[in-house]
Amino acid sequence: MKKNFKRFWKLGREEFNTQYFDITKNGELMLKEGNYQYNIAKLVKQYGTALEVMFPFIVETRLHQLMDIFSAYIKLNDYKGKFYYHYPMKVNQHKQYVLSVVSEGANLETSSPNELWIVKRLWEQERFSSKIRVLCNGPKTERYIKLINELNQNGLTITPIIEHRDELVVFKKYKSEIGVRVNLNVKVKSHWDKRFNYFGLTEDEILKLGKIPNLGVISYHVSSQIQKLDGLTEPVKRLFSIYAKLRQRNPKLDTIDIGGGGAIPYVKKPMYTVKAAAQRIVKTCKQMSLKYNVKEPNIICEWGRYVVAPAQITVFKVITEKSVENGSNRKWYIVDGSFINDLPDTWTIHQQWHVIPVNNMNTRNNQRTWLAGSSCDSDDKYTAQGTYILLPKLQDETDQFLTFLDTGAYQDSLGARHCLLATPLKIIAHNGEVKVAAKRQSAEDIGKSFGW
Ligand SMILES: Cc1ncc(COP(=O)(O)O)c(C=O)c1O
């Protein structure tokens, strides 16, 4: 019986990243970290809702696997370049996540001076080995340039990635390696497949640059949540034609950076595996090196969402229900959080999520629902694109809790404060212990940032 409910809620399945989840005898959601376990319903009773729970061990496991798999295919293909992972800090800058990826051997990628400032802090606290390399993307403001130079002079390997022609002039005399970002003329299937992309230099611009002192890396980032394997390999093929031409004048160029893009099966439909992706990417690099008769470059990968999204869940309480007008027996479940504020991709890019109950998981008495947030905004809702979210029917005597899975990427830093609602309380569950990472904000806390 228990097994059926686990299957019903799509838990315990590696291909959906739910292998750590289980259901207790009482129908409550639990998560296992080795032989430690966390009962989410109990955590909710202790800490209240809205609640975010971070699981750093998931970050560590996923990163470890990713690096191992790429390295294995490099060996298997007798590929001469090395594999390097750089964690794109924009995906989740929370200290615990950054420390977790660094502990597994990740390098870093920043997109702003404030992210680089975090690197500076960690470096000053002597928390980094001097082997770590930091790639700096994003527009190079004065403050950014100053920090890049300062950290580089202090012995940290900082590679500014040139995104505009002006930046080439700024870093002309830079003593260490630099990189250049190309706006590849290739489109892939994903939400961000924009016709007009303003990041990096165009292919033409790059080829006209001639010799660039200390050029070591050529990078691109075509998109996020890339849907198909071809979307990962077509840009690699395109990049090689440029890499080969650039190398003729820049023999120090020995590294390609394939950016982010590894996808998450948010809606629990089959998706390519990291094994299939790594195999295809390494094989493509091997074939292209042969085709263009060039040195097999090192490969940098910046998959962010892939590593951190499954490491966080966001839990809400259902405050009340209402009928959906003309909604063929769907009910609105109104929750004590806000999609606009706490899971903004729901609103901005119509992200779909895997939503499951936290308690009453072994009931067959379920309800088709649409979810509404607590702000005043009619866009503050999640309807699974007009379909429905199946959740237990509400009972008078027990509160119903639900959780969104895979909320570890982008949501925290994009979050807003519509209607001055507080951000969820955030806890970290690690090595069997639970710690508060961010307290629940009071009216005073929020008011302060609005001048009150
Ligand atoms: C330069 C760069 N690298 C990596 C990433 C991470 O992408 P993803 O989370 O899709 O892997 C991004 C995301 O915007 C990016 O801009």
Side-chain angles (χ1 to χ4, degrees), residues 180 206 215 218 242-250 253:
V180 64
I206 288 214
L215 181 66
I218 178 159
I242 299 162
Y243 166 71
K245 283 185 196 140
L246 272 188
R247 256 186 72 82
Q248 290 166 1
R249 291 213 191 159
N250 300 282
L253 175 63

Side-chain angles (χ1 to χ4, degrees), residues 223-380:
S223 202
S224 198
Q225 187 69 5
I226 295 174
Q227 302 290 321
K228 301 265 180 225
L229 278 177
D230 280 355
L232 296 172
T233 51
E234 287 309 308
V236 174
K237 289 182 191 163
R238 184 94 194 163
L239 181 73
F240 260 84
S241 65
I242 299 162
Y243 166 71
K245 283 185 196 140
L246 272 188
R247 256 186 72 82
Q248 290 166 1
R249 291 213 191 159
N250 300 282
K252 281 192 203 159
L253 175 63
D254 64 358
T255 301
I256 61 167
D257 176 352
I258 62 171
I264 290 290
Y266 286 104
V267 285
K268 310 304 162 204
K269 288 198 183 124
M271 171 74 69
Y272 54 80
T273 61
V274 62
K275 267 192 187 163
Q279 185 181 27
R280 287 273 297 270
I281 291 168
V282 174
K283 213 168 154 191
T284 308
C285 289
K286 182 92 191 171
Q287 287 166 345
M288 291 298 114
S289 301
L290 262 174
K291 176 176 170 185
Y292 289 101
N293 191 23
V294 280
K295 180 179 163 146
E296 292 173 4
N298 300 320
I299 304 168
I300 290 178
C301 163
E302 299 177 4
W303 287 9
R305 179 192 300 278
Y306 174 83
V307 172
V308 298
Q312 185 164 302
I313 61 174
T314 303
V315 187
F316 299 121
K317 180 166 107 175
V318 181
I319 307 173
T320 187
E321 66 178 5
K322 282 184 175 179
S323 296
V324 175
E325 277 171 56
N326 308 322
S328 57
N329 75 28
R330 287 178 185 80
K331 289 256 164 85
W332 283 111
Y333 276 14
I334 312 213
V335 304
D336 62 350
S338 157
F339 304 109
I340 288 184
N341 287 351
D342 308 330
L343 298 171
D345 278 349
T346 316
W347 178 52
T348 50
I349 58 165
H350 307 294
Q351 166 88 53
Q352 283 196 271
W353 304 96
H354 186 191
V355 184
I356 54 173
V358 167
N359 54 333
N360 298 324
M361 295 186 84
N362 48 13
T363 178
R364 291 189 190 279
N365 197 12
N366 290 310
Q367 169 71 51
R368 291 182 175 194
T369 73
W370 283 351
L371 304 177
S374 283
S375 82
C376 66
D377 207 299
S378 59
D379 278 328
D380 198 350

Side-chain angles (χ1 to χ4, degrees), residues 104-155:
E104 291 305 308
N107 296 286
L108 295 172
E109 184 262 349
T110 64
S111 50
S112 72
N114 288 349
E115 287 179 356
L116 193 58
W117 172 83
I118 294 174
V119 172
K120 177 178 154 148
R121 265 193 90 165
L122 289 167
W123 176 242
E124 285 172 352
Q125 292 165 358
E126 298 186 8
R127 296 179 90 157
F128 280 165
S129 117
S130 54
K131 280 191 196 149
I132 200 162
R133 176 165 67 176
V134 184
L135 302 178
C136 296
N137 275 300
K140 310 299 179 298
T141 57
E142 259 178 51
R143 208 159 72 79
Y144 207 2
I145 296 165
K146 200 165 154 242
L147 256 183
I148 290 172
N149 284 321
E150 180 190 327
L151 291 182
N152 196 53
Q153 277 154 19
N154 289 344

Side-chain angles (χ1 to χ4, degrees), residues 432-445:
E433 288 177 2
V434 175
K435 287 187 197 140
V436 175
K439 285 192 202 149
R440 196 172 302 290
Q441 291 170 308
S442 63
E444 233 177 20
D445 295 332

